Amino acid sequence: MKAYRFLTADDTSAFCHKVTEALSKGWELYGDPTYAHDATTGVMRCGQAVVKDAEGDYSPEIKLGAL
């Protein structure tokens, strides 16, 4: 199964750590990062898609962060 996640957070080092943690667990970057201004909070938000080959079949109950 090919698993997909879209990681998001404010544009801080915490976002970089979130992506780094996913990479250290075998996830791979998928596409370019995205940035958007959140007018409600006045901060920039980041997003990065990641993918991973995982054993088993897909189920909506899968906790993607645990793969």
Side-chain angles (χ1 to χ4, degrees):
M1 162 184 84
K2 177 76 82 173
Y4 172 91
R5 293 173 66 196
F6 188 69
L7 307 173
T8 62
D10 290 348
D11 186 12
T12 66
S13 63
F15 173 74
C16 295
H17 285 284
K18 183 184 281 192
V19 174
T20 300
E21 179 183 20
L23 295 174
S24 73
K25 292 181 176 181
W27 292 85
E28 297 178 12
L29 299 177
Y30 184 79
D32 294 328
T34 60
Y35 299 93
H37 183 259
D38 184 338
T40 304
T41 61
V43 300
M44 292 298 290
R45 301 270 304 160
C46 301
Q48 175 65 58
V50 292
V51 294
K52 181 178 186 179
D53 288 321
E55 292 185 21
D57 295 324
Y58 171 75
S59 167
E61 287 80 35
I62 293 172
K63 297 200 183 300
L64 297 171
L67 290 177

